[in-house]
Amino acid sequence: MMTESNRIEYKQELTESLEKEVVAFLNTSEGGVIYLGIDKAGNVFGLSDADEIQLKVKDRLRNNIRPSCLGLFDVIHELWNGKDLVRIVLAGGSEKPYYLRKYGMTEKGCFIRVGSASDPMPARMIEELFAKRVRNSIGNIRSPRQDLSFEQLRIYYQEKGFNLGDKFASNLELLTKEGDYNYAAYLLADDNGNSVQVARYRGPDRVDLIESNEYGYCSLIKSCKQVLDRLEVENRTVTKITSKERINIRLWNAVALRETVINAIIHNDYTSGAVPKFEIFQDRIEITSAGTVAPGIAREEFFAGYSIPRNKILMRIFKDLGIVEYLGSGMPRILKAYPRESFLFTANFVRTVFPMDSGALELQQNGNVTKIMEDTAQKSSQKSSQKSSQKSSQKILQLVKDNNSITTTEMAECLGISRRAVAKQIDKLKEAGKLKRIGPDKGGHWEVLGEN
């Protein structure tokens, strides 16, 4: 059992001082972890109702701490020696000083971690931190457009069983203090100027570009899913059949590749105008995002999973939708498959380089790749296409349920696909007996048939 330290706090039960400890961790650079159900000596007592305590903790952190710490914490139910615990994982915030809403930005409301204790923050430190507070964030920058729609985001939340109400923009922190849509809202809107690039080169350098695709101008959630689907197809299985066995090797570790793609999209510095870039070469894949990590302690925290989320609003929404599990979980998964040297840091960018698996590369170079590899890529492509088609059909039905007078043009805009593709999906739904048109194209309406 680990002892309490500047990063670990034990509490036998949920107490009134929880927010104080959380504020102290938020005001550090590395964050920390609070365990509920363990006493100061490290003895595991457990909790009688861990699920209820989880809900209480989330509610208290959401309402009792300012600035908002949404996206900076995870509350996880764990089992230790057969006893229920709650683990609260906290990242250091970028809008210091954090404080108790009840007492404001005062010595009574601000705290800092000193060893294993949470001490009141001196007035001078409060003033210095406030002066340095990061203001240039996507939450504070006004969107270049205010005529934004969020049908794609609504559909993604509905798929997870959540219904975005009329106040979703405020609840998801998509508004500036003045009440305008912020840049985070712009990135998540149905239509925007943001794009994510995927390029493929014939050789080991950038001389011979053979394919370039842009996934964007739509909700960043959709862009992320499109890039993941595309790279899943690219990450084909190389197969060699011997007299004794069949050897299957994927070009890259699938888990590490997925985590790196998501990290690049969530943590990209969009305030710089740069977008994430994904490049596939003859012998490797390179993933580049804007922003960097300072050397020394900050870089050690980055590899340990303690780094500050650059875009906490995006982090929170990606977590809501199940794309991200919990804070700091991605980097340990990546480092299980690839060394730290895979990450290259410059003054303005972070680039991740994953070489192709040496065994797979050898098979390709020697021309020993069997037809199974091609079949796998083809099947993956077909599967991705079928999956995309099914999702489009489900989303069309949901759009019709929300508005039975919606036009095919409006459907195409909401889904980010062509009008022809929408018409094709509607024909399939009609043939399957799931959708029916009542009346003419103009003045008529749709009707969803049966339970879907």
Side-chain angles (χ1 to χ4, degrees), residues 383-427:
K383 184 178 179 181
S384 176
S385 178
Q386 291 171 355
K387 185 178 179 182
S388 177
S389 177
Q390 291 171 355
K391 284 187 175 181
S392 295
S393 296
Q394 292 169 359
K395 291 174 182 177
I396 287 173
L397 291 175
Q398 186 61 54
L399 288 172
V400 170
K401 288 179 182 178
D402 294 340
N403 176 14
N404 66 357
S405 299
I406 191 171
T407 66
T408 53
T409 300
E410 290 170 337
M411 291 182 191
E413 291 176 354
C414 290
L415 299 177
I417 60 179
S418 68
R419 192 172 179 273
R420 173 183 278 184
V422 169
K424 188 175 179 181
Q425 294 301 322
I426 288 176
D427 289 340

mmCIF file of all heavy atoms in Angstrom, residues 383-427:
data_model
loop_
_atom_site.group_PDB
_atom_site.id
_atom_site.type_symbol
_atom_site.label_atom_id
_atom_site.label_comp_id
_atom_site.label_asym_id
_atom_site.label_seq_id
_atom_site.Cartn_x
_atom_site.Cartn_y
_atom_site.Cartn_z
ATOM 1 N N LYS A 383 -16.353 -3.844 -44.186
ATOM 2 C CA LYS A 383 -16.946 -3.775 -42.847
ATOM 3 C C LYS A 383 -17.127 -2.337 -42.420
ATOM 4 O O LYS A 383 -18.165 -1.955 -41.862
ATOM 5 C CB LYS A 383 -16.053 -4.516 -41.849
ATOM 6 C CG LYS A 383 -16.631 -4.580 -40.444
ATOM 7 C CD LYS A 383 -15.712 -5.368 -39.534
ATOM 8 C CE LYS A 383 -16.270 -5.420 -38.113
ATOM 9 N NZ LYS A 383 -15.369 -6.157 -37.200
ATOM 10 N N SER A 384 -16.109 -1.493 -42.686
ATOM 11 C CA SER A 384 -16.193 -0.078 -42.328
ATOM 12 C C SER A 384 -17.326 0.596 -43.088
ATOM 13 O O SER A 384 -18.076 1.394 -42.538
ATOM 14 C CB SER A 384 -14.859 0.611 -42.630
ATOM 15 O OG SER A 384 -14.938 1.981 -42.375
ATOM 16 N N SER A 385 -17.455 0.236 -44.390
ATOM 17 C CA SER A 385 -18.501 0.814 -45.211
ATOM 18 C C SER A 385 -19.888 0.400 -44.715
ATOM 19 O O SER A 385 -20.801 1.218 -44.636
ATOM 20 C CB SER A 385 -18.308 0.383 -46.670
ATOM 21 O OG SER A 385 -19.339 0.888 -47.485
ATOM 22 N N GLN A 386 -20.034 -0.899 -44.383
ATOM 23 C CA GLN A 386 -21.310 -1.397 -43.879
ATOM 24 C C GLN A 386 -21.673 -0.733 -42.550
ATOM 25 O O GLN A 386 -22.819 -0.351 -42.316
ATOM 26 C CB GLN A 386 -21.253 -2.918 -43.708
ATOM 27 C CG GLN A 386 -21.185 -3.673 -45.030
ATOM 28 C CD GLN A 386 -20.910 -5.151 -44.822
ATOM 29 O OE1 GLN A 386 -20.689 -5.591 -43.693
ATOM 30 N NE2 GLN A 386 -20.905 -5.907 -45.900
ATOM 31 N N LYS A 387 -20.672 -0.602 -41.680
ATOM 32 C CA LYS A 387 -20.902 0.011 -40.373
ATOM 33 C C LYS A 387 -21.345 1.459 -40.533
ATOM 34 O O LYS A 387 -22.269 1.929 -39.868
ATOM 35 C CB LYS A 387 -19.614 -0.062 -39.542
ATOM 36 C CG LYS A 387 -19.758 0.438 -38.122
ATOM 37 C CD LYS A 387 -18.446 0.267 -37.382
ATOM 38 C CE LYS A 387 -18.559 0.778 -35.949
ATOM 39 N NZ LYS A 387 -17.272 0.651 -35.225
ATOM 40 N N SER A 388 -20.675 2.188 -41.463
ATOM 41 C CA SER A 388 -21.025 3.575 -41.716
ATOM 42 C C SER A 388 -22.445 3.683 -42.267
ATOM 43 O O SER A 388 -23.205 4.574 -41.893
ATOM 44 C CB SER A 388 -20.026 4.183 -42.706
ATOM 45 O OG SER A 388 -20.377 5.495 -43.023
ATOM 46 N N SER A 389 -22.798 2.740 -43.167
ATOM 47 C CA SER A 389 -24.139 2.735 -43.752
ATOM 48 C C SER A 389 -25.205 2.500 -42.690
ATOM 49 O O SER A 389 -26.244 3.165 -42.669
ATOM 50 C CB SER A 389 -24.227 1.650 -44.832
ATOM 51 O OG SER A 389 -25.524 1.580 -45.367
ATOM 52 N N GLN A 390 -24.960 1.546 -41.790
ATOM 53 C CA GLN A 390 -25.914 1.248 -40.724
ATOM 54 C C GLN A 390 -26.109 2.450 -39.809
ATOM 55 O O GLN A 390 -27.231 2.786 -39.410
ATOM 56 C CB GLN A 390 -25.443 0.039 -39.914
ATOM 57 C CG GLN A 390 -25.512 -1.270 -40.679
ATOM 58 C CD GLN A 390 -24.834 -2.404 -39.935
ATOM 59 O OE1 GLN A 390 -24.234 -2.198 -38.885
ATOM 60 N NE2 GLN A 390 -24.919 -3.602 -40.479
ATOM 61 N N LYS A 391 -25.003 3.126 -39.481
ATOM 62 C CA LYS A 391 -25.095 4.295 -38.611
ATOM 63 C C LYS A 391 -25.894 5.402 -39.283
ATOM 64 O O LYS A 391 -26.697 6.079 -38.646
ATOM 65 C CB LYS A 391 -23.691 4.800 -38.249
ATOM 66 C CG LYS A 391 -22.979 3.956 -37.215
ATOM 67 C CD LYS A 391 -21.679 4.610 -36.793
ATOM 68 C CE LYS A 391 -21.003 3.828 -35.665
ATOM 69 N NZ LYS A 391 -19.745 4.473 -35.237
ATOM 70 N N SER A 392 -25.663 5.588 -40.622
ATOM 71 C CA SER A 392 -26.397 6.627 -41.346
ATOM 72 C C SER A 392 -27.889 6.338 -41.317
ATOM 73 O O SER A 392 -28.704 7.243 -41.122
ATOM 74 C CB SER A 392 -25.892 6.709 -42.794
ATOM 75 O OG SER A 392 -24.550 7.144 -42.832
ATOM 76 N N SER A 393 -28.254 5.051 -41.500
ATOM 77 C CA SER A 393 -29.667 4.672 -41.481
ATOM 78 C C SER A 393 -30.297 4.973 -40.121
ATOM 79 O O SER A 393 -31.398 5.516 -40.027
ATOM 80 C CB SER A 393 -29.822 3.182 -41.809
ATOM 81 O OG SER A 393 -29.389 2.902 -43.121
ATOM 82 N N GLN A 394 -29.582 4.619 -39.042
ATOM 83 C CA GLN A 394 -30.093 4.867 -37.699
ATOM 84 C C GLN A 394 -30.259 6.364 -37.434
ATOM 85 O O GLN A 394 -31.240 6.799 -36.824
ATOM 86 C CB GLN A 394 -29.140 4.256 -36.662
ATOM 87 C CG GLN A 394 -29.109 2.735 -36.695
ATOM 88 C CD GLN A 394 -27.973 2.185 -35.849
ATOM 89 O OE1 GLN A 394 -27.206 2.927 -35.251
ATOM 90 N NE2 GLN A 394 -27.865 0.857 -35.812
ATOM 91 N N LYS A 395 -29.302 7.148 -37.931
ATOM 92 C CA LYS A 395 -29.358 8.590 -37.704
ATOM 93 C C LYS A 395 -30.495 9.231 -38.508
ATOM 94 O O LYS A 395 -31.144 10.175 -38.043
ATOM 95 C CB LYS A 395 -28.014 9.227 -38.067
ATOM 96 C CG LYS A 395 -26.900 8.844 -37.094
ATOM 97 C CD LYS A 395 -25.550 9.354 -37.555
ATOM 98 C CE LYS A 395 -24.448 8.907 -36.584
ATOM 99 N NZ LYS A 395 -23.110 9.335 -37.039
ATOM 100 N N ILE A 396 -30.762 8.698 -39.723
ATOM 101 C CA ILE A 396 -31.871 9.207 -40.522
ATOM 102 C C ILE A 396 -33.195 8.967 -39.796
ATOM 103 O O ILE A 396 -34.054 9.845 -39.716
ATOM 104 C CB ILE A 396 -31.884 8.545 -41.921
ATOM 105 C CG1 ILE A 396 -30.735 9.108 -42.769
ATOM 106 C CG2 ILE A 396 -33.219 8.776 -42.621
ATOM 107 C CD1 ILE A 396 -30.543 8.413 -44.085
ATOM 108 N N LEU A 397 -33.353 7.758 -39.233
ATOM 109 C CA LEU A 397 -34.571 7.458 -38.489
ATOM 110 C C LEU A 397 -34.733 8.386 -37.291
ATOM 111 O O LEU A 397 -35.836 8.842 -36.986
ATOM 112 C CB LEU A 397 -34.551 5.992 -38.024
ATOM 113 C CG LEU A 397 -34.670 4.930 -39.128
ATOM 114 C CD1 LEU A 397 -34.504 3.533 -38.541
ATOM 115 C CD2 LEU A 397 -36.006 5.039 -39.840
ATOM 116 N N GLN A 398 -33.622 8.684 -36.603
ATOM 117 C CA GLN A 398 -33.688 9.578 -35.444
ATOM 118 C C GLN A 398 -34.046 10.990 -35.864
ATOM 119 O O GLN A 398 -34.846 11.678 -35.208
ATOM 120 C CB GLN A 398 -32.345 9.576 -34.704
ATOM 121 C CG GLN A 398 -32.363 10.355 -33.398
ATOM 122 C CD GLN A 398 -33.367 9.792 -32.405
ATOM 123 O OE1 GLN A 398 -33.346 8.612 -32.096
ATOM 124 N NE2 GLN A 398 -34.272 10.638 -31.929
ATOM 125 N N LEU A 399 -33.482 11.443 -37.004
ATOM 126 C CA LEU A 399 -33.800 12.784 -37.504
ATOM 127 C C LEU A 399 -35.282 12.891 -37.851
ATOM 128 O O LEU A 399 -35.927 13.910 -37.593
ATOM 129 C CB LEU A 399 -32.938 13.091 -38.738
ATOM 130 C CG LEU A 399 -31.448 13.343 -38.491
ATOM 131 C CD1 LEU A 399 -30.702 13.446 -39.807
ATOM 132 C CD2 LEU A 399 -31.242 14.613 -37.674
ATOM 133 N N VAL A 400 -35.835 11.817 -38.447
ATOM 134 C CA VAL A 400 -37.248 11.810 -38.812
ATOM 135 C C VAL A 400 -38.128 11.831 -37.562
ATOM 136 O O VAL A 400 -39.157 12.502 -37.514
ATOM 137 C CB VAL A 400 -37.582 10.584 -39.691
ATOM 138 C CG1 VAL A 400 -39.089 10.433 -39.875
ATOM 139 C CG2 VAL A 400 -36.890 10.705 -41.036
ATOM 140 N N LYS A 401 -37.711 11.082 -36.520
ATOM 141 C CA LYS A 401 -38.468 11.084 -35.272
ATOM 142 C C LYS A 401 -38.498 12.483 -34.659
ATOM 143 O O LYS A 401 -39.510 12.911 -34.102
ATOM 144 C CB LYS A 401 -37.848 10.097 -34.273
ATOM 145 C CG LYS A 401 -38.076 8.634 -34.624
ATOM 146 C CD LYS A 401 -37.397 7.737 -33.601
ATOM 147 C CE LYS A 401 -37.557 6.268 -33.936
ATOM 148 N NZ LYS A 401 -36.867 5.385 -32.966
ATOM 149 N N ASP A 402 -37.378 13.190 -34.768
ATOM 150 C CA ASP A 402 -37.296 14.539 -34.210
ATOM 151 C C ASP A 402 -38.072 15.559 -35.047
ATOM 152 O O ASP A 402 -38.599 16.536 -34.522
ATOM 153 C CB ASP A 402 -35.830 14.979 -34.096
ATOM 154 C CG ASP A 402 -35.067 14.143 -33.081
ATOM 155 O OD1 ASP A 402 -35.720 13.515 -32.234
ATOM 156 O OD2 ASP A 402 -33.828 14.112 -33.160
ATOM 157 N N ASN A 403 -38.111 15.332 -36.376
ATOM 158 C CA ASN A 403 -38.768 16.276 -37.281
ATOM 159 C C ASN A 403 -39.241 15.510 -38.511
ATOM 160 O O ASN A 403 -38.465 15.277 -39.434
ATOM 161 C CB ASN A 403 -37.804 17.396 -37.676
ATOM 162 C CG ASN A 403 -38.419 18.354 -38.688
ATOM 163 O OD1 ASN A 403 -39.620 18.351 -38.906
ATOM 164 N ND2 ASN A 403 -37.569 19.170 -39.311
ATOM 165 N N ASN A 404 -40.541 15.134 -38.523
ATOM 166 C CA ASN A 404 -41.030 14.297 -39.624
ATOM 167 C C ASN A 404 -41.215 15.062 -40.931
ATOM 168 O O ASN A 404 -41.563 14.474 -41.951
ATOM 169 C CB ASN A 404 -42.333 13.584 -39.233
ATOM 170 C CG ASN A 404 -43.500 14.562 -39.024
ATOM 171 O OD1 ASN A 404 -43.320 15.776 -39.112
ATOM 172 N ND2 ASN A 404 -44.664 14.022 -38.725
ATOM 173 N N SER A 405 -40.954 16.372 -40.913
ATOM 174 C CA SER A 405 -41.040 17.171 -42.143
ATOM 175 C C SER A 405 -39.663 17.491 -42.704
ATOM 176 O O SER A 405 -39.529 18.276 -43.648
ATOM 177 C CB SER A 405 -41.801 18.476 -41.867
ATOM 178 O OG SER A 405 -43.123 18.209 -41.438
ATOM 179 N N ILE A 406 -38.616 16.911 -42.140
ATOM 180 C CA ILE A 406 -37.250 17.204 -42.565
ATOM 181 C C ILE A 406 -37.039 16.800 -44.026
ATOM 182 O O ILE A 406 -37.597 15.798 -44.496
ATOM 183 C CB ILE A 406 -36.236 16.484 -41.653
ATOM 184 C CG1 ILE A 406 -34.812 16.997 -41.927
ATOM 185 C CG2 ILE A 406 -36.327 14.967 -41.805
ATOM 186 C CD1 ILE A 406 -33.805 16.495 -40.905
ATOM 187 N N THR A 407 -36.263 17.583 -44.773
ATOM 188 C CA THR A 407 -35.990 17.289 -46.176
ATOM 189 C C THR A 407 -34.715 16.480 -46.308
ATOM 190 O O THR A 407 -33.888 16.429 -45.383
ATOM 191 C CB THR A 407 -35.843 18.584 -46.985
ATOM 192 O OG1 THR A 407 -34.659 19.286 -46.529
ATOM 193 C CG2 THR A 407 -37.054 19.483 -46.805
ATOM 194 N N THR A 408 -34.530 15.861 -47.462
ATOM 195 C CA THR A 408 -33.302 15.080 -47.691
ATOM 196 C C THR A 408 -32.081 15.987 -47.697
ATOM 197 O O THR A 408 -30.988 15.584 -47.287
ATOM 198 C CB THR A 408 -33.390 14.310 -49.019
ATOM 199 O OG1 THR A 408 -33.710 15.223 -50.084
ATOM 200 C CG2 THR A 408 -34.453 13.228 -48.951
ATOM 201 N N THR A 409 -32.259 17.215 -48.158
ATOM 202 C CA THR A 409 -31.134 18.172 -48.144
ATOM 203 C C THR A 409 -30.714 18.481 -46.713
ATOM 204 O O THR A 409 -29.520 18.517 -46.389
ATOM 205 C CB THR A 409 -31.529 19.476 -48.857
ATOM 206 O OG1 THR A 409 -31.890 19.179 -50.215
ATOM 207 C CG2 THR A 409 -30.371 20.472 -48.852
ATOM 208 N N GLU A 410 -31.702 18.671 -45.835
ATOM 209 C CA GLU A 410 -31.403 18.949 -44.424
ATOM 210 C C GLU A 410 -30.767 17.737 -43.768
ATOM 211 O O GLU A 410 -29.861 17.864 -42.931
ATOM 212 C CB GLU A 410 -32.685 19.345 -43.689
ATOM 213 C CG GLU A 410 -33.225 20.713 -44.103
ATOM 214 C CD GLU A 410 -34.612 21.001 -43.554
ATOM 215 O OE1 GLU A 410 -35.346 20.021 -43.233
ATOM 216 O OE2 GLU A 410 -34.970 22.182 -43.441
ATOM 217 N N MET A 411 -31.223 16.526 -44.140
ATOM 218 C CA MET A 411 -30.599 15.299 -43.613
ATOM 219 C C MET A 411 -29.130 15.231 -44.018
ATOM 220 O O MET A 411 -28.256 14.895 -43.202
ATOM 221 C CB MET A 411 -31.324 14.060 -44.142
ATOM 222 C CG MET A 411 -32.722 13.851 -43.607
ATOM 223 S SD MET A 411 -33.419 12.321 -44.286
ATOM 224 C CE MET A 411 -35.136 12.470 -43.797
ATOM 225 N N ALA A 412 -28.858 15.533 -45.274
ATOM 226 C CA ALA A 412 -27.482 15.477 -45.780
ATOM 227 C C ALA A 412 -26.584 16.441 -45.021
ATOM 228 O O ALA A 412 -25.440 16.117 -44.675
ATOM 229 C CB ALA A 412 -27.463 15.790 -47.272
ATOM 230 N N GLU A 413 -27.114 17.637 -44.717
ATOM 231 C CA GLU A 413 -26.326 18.630 -43.979
ATOM 232 C C GLU A 413 -26.059 18.161 -42.557
ATOM 233 O O GLU A 413 -24.957 18.327 -42.024
ATOM 234 C CB GLU A 413 -27.072 19.968 -43.957
ATOM 235 C CG GLU A 413 -27.149 20.641 -45.320
ATOM 236 C CD GLU A 413 -27.972 21.918 -45.293
ATOM 237 O OE1 GLU A 413 -28.567 22.204 -44.228
ATOM 238 O OE2 GLU A 413 -28.020 22.625 -46.317
ATOM 239 N N CYS A 414 -27.064 17.550 -41.921
ATOM 240 C CA CYS A 414 -26.895 17.077 -40.543
ATOM 241 C C CYS A 414 -25.889 15.926 -40.463
ATOM 242 O O CYS A 414 -25.100 15.839 -39.517
ATOM 243 C CB CYS A 414 -28.238 16.613 -39.969
ATOM 244 S SG CYS A 414 -29.401 17.960 -39.655
ATOM 245 N N LEU A 415 -25.937 15.035 -41.457
ATOM 246 C CA LEU A 415 -25.089 13.840 -41.424
ATOM 247 C C LEU A 415 -23.725 14.064 -42.046
ATOM 248 O O LEU A 415 -22.829 13.230 -41.898
ATOM 249 C CB LEU A 415 -25.796 12.681 -42.141
ATOM 250 C CG LEU A 415 -27.141 12.242 -41.544
ATOM 251 C CD1 LEU A 415 -27.761 11.152 -42.403
ATOM 252 C CD2 LEU A 415 -26.959 11.751 -40.129
ATOM 253 N N GLY A 416 -23.564 15.156 -42.791
ATOM 254 C CA GLY A 416 -22.275 15.423 -43.420
ATOM 255 C C GLY A 416 -22.002 14.504 -44.595
ATOM 256 O O GLY A 416 -20.835 14.206 -44.889
ATOM 257 N N ILE A 417 -23.062 14.031 -45.279
ATOM 258 C CA ILE A 417 -22.901 13.179 -46.456
ATOM 259 C C ILE A 417 -23.683 13.797 -47.607
ATOM 260 O O ILE A 417 -24.418 14.766 -47.430
ATOM 261 C CB ILE A 417 -23.377 11.736 -46.200
ATOM 262 C CG1 ILE A 417 -24.863 11.706 -45.809
ATOM 263 C CG2 ILE A 417 -22.538 11.085 -45.115
ATOM 264 C CD1 ILE A 417 -25.406 10.310 -45.563
ATOM 265 N N SER A 418 -23.536 13.228 -48.819
ATOM 266 C CA SER A 418 -24.200 13.792 -49.982
ATOM 267 C C SER A 418 -25.694 13.493 -49.978
ATOM 268 O O SER A 418 -26.155 12.552 -49.318
ATOM 269 C CB SER A 418 -23.570 13.240 -51.263
ATOM 270 O OG SER A 418 -23.853 11.857 -51.385
ATOM 271 N N ARG A 419 -26.438 14.288 -50.745
ATOM 272 C CA ARG A 419 -27.883 14.083 -50.859
ATOM 273 C C ARG A 419 -28.161 12.734 -51.523
ATOM 274 O O ARG A 419 -29.141 12.050 -51.171
ATOM 275 C CB ARG A 419 -28.491 15.225 -51.667
ATOM 276 C CG ARG A 419 -30.009 15.283 -51.621
ATOM 277 C CD ARG A 419 -30.504 16.567 -52.280
ATOM 278 N NE ARG A 419 -31.958 16.625 -52.264
ATOM 279 C CZ ARG A 419 -32.732 16.088 -53.205
ATOM 280 N NH1 ARG A 419 -32.172 15.451 -54.218
ATOM 281 N NH2 ARG A 419 -34.052 16.185 -53.141
ATOM 282 N N ARG A 420 -27.308 12.344 -52.475
ATOM 283 C CA ARG A 420 -27.481 11.048 -53.142
ATOM 284 C C ARG A 420 -27.332 9.906 -52.139
ATOM 285 O O ARG A 420 -28.082 8.928 -52.169
ATOM 286 C CB ARG A 420 -26.453 10.895 -54.273
ATOM 287 C CG ARG A 420 -26.453 9.511 -54.888
ATOM 288 C CD ARG A 420 -25.372 9.364 -55.942
ATOM 289 N NE ARG A 420 -25.799 9.896 -57.215
ATOM 290 C CZ ARG A 420 -25.070 9.817 -58.333
ATOM 291 N NH1 ARG A 420 -23.869 9.262 -58.291
ATOM 292 N NH2 ARG A 420 -25.524 10.294 -59.477
ATOM 293 N N ALA A 421 -26.336 10.038 -51.228
ATOM 294 C CA ALA A 421 -26.125 8.991 -50.213
ATOM 295 C C ALA A 421 -27.330 8.887 -49.282
ATOM 296 O O ALA A 421 -27.726 7.790 -48.882
ATOM 297 C CB ALA A 421 -24.858 9.284 -49.415
ATOM 298 N N VAL A 422 -27.921 10.042 -48.948
ATOM 299 C CA VAL A 422 -29.114 10.038 -48.098
ATOM 300 C C VAL A 422 -30.258 9.329 -48.821
ATOM 301 O O VAL A 422 -30.969 8.507 -48.238
ATOM 302 C CB VAL A 422 -29.527 11.479 -47.725
ATOM 303 C CG1 VAL A 422 -30.903 11.490 -47.069
ATOM 304 C CG2 VAL A 422 -28.505 12.095 -46.777
ATOM 305 N N ALA A 423 -30.446 9.659 -50.112
ATOM 306 C CA ALA A 423 -31.524 9.045 -50.894
ATOM 307 C C ALA A 423 -31.346 7.526 -50.959
ATOM 308 O O ALA A 423 -32.319 6.766 -50.878
ATOM 309 C CB ALA A 423 -31.551 9.639 -52.298
ATOM 310 N N LYS A 424 -30.100 7.079 -51.076
ATOM 311 C CA LYS A 424 -29.814 5.645 -51.126
ATOM 312 C C LYS A 424 -30.194 4.967 -49.813
ATOM 313 O O LYS A 424 -30.789 3.879 -49.797
ATOM 314 C CB LYS A 424 -28.320 5.433 -51.420
ATOM 315 C CG LYS A 424 -27.929 3.992 -51.676
ATOM 316 C CD LYS A 424 -26.462 3.919 -52.065
ATOM 317 C CE LYS A 424 -26.051 2.465 -52.310
ATOM 318 N NZ LYS A 424 -24.608 2.361 -52.673
ATOM 319 N N GLN A 425 -29.878 5.606 -48.693
ATOM 320 C CA GLN A 425 -30.216 5.044 -47.386
ATOM 321 C C GLN A 425 -31.731 5.030 -47.173
ATOM 322 O O GLN A 425 -32.284 4.081 -46.613
ATOM 323 C CB GLN A 425 -29.542 5.851 -46.267
ATOM 324 C CG GLN A 425 -28.024 5.770 -46.248
ATOM 325 C CD GLN A 425 -27.519 4.352 -46.095
ATOM 326 O OE1 GLN A 425 -28.108 3.559 -45.359
ATOM 327 N NE2 GLN A 425 -26.453 4.026 -46.791
ATOM 328 N N ILE A 426 -32.414 6.064 -47.652
ATOM 329 C CA ILE A 426 -33.872 6.120 -47.521
ATOM 330 C C ILE A 426 -34.523 4.986 -48.310
ATOM 331 O O ILE A 426 -35.475 4.349 -47.839
ATOM 332 C CB ILE A 426 -34.393 7.496 -47.995
ATOM 333 C CG1 ILE A 426 -34.011 8.579 -46.966
ATOM 334 C CG2 ILE A 426 -35.910 7.468 -48.199
ATOM 335 C CD1 ILE A 426 -34.385 9.975 -47.385
ATOM 336 N N ASP A 427 -34.001 4.715 -49.519
ATOM 337 C CA ASP A 427 -34.533 3.609 -50.322
ATOM 338 C C ASP A 427 -34.399 2.278 -49.584
ATOM 339 O O ASP A 427 -35.314 1.441 -49.586
ATOM 340 C CB ASP A 427 -33.810 3.536 -51.670
ATOM 341 C CG ASP A 427 -34.188 4.680 -52.602
ATOM 342 O OD1 ASP A 427 -35.255 5.283 -52.365
ATOM 343 O OD2 ASP A 427 -33.425 4.979 -53.537
#
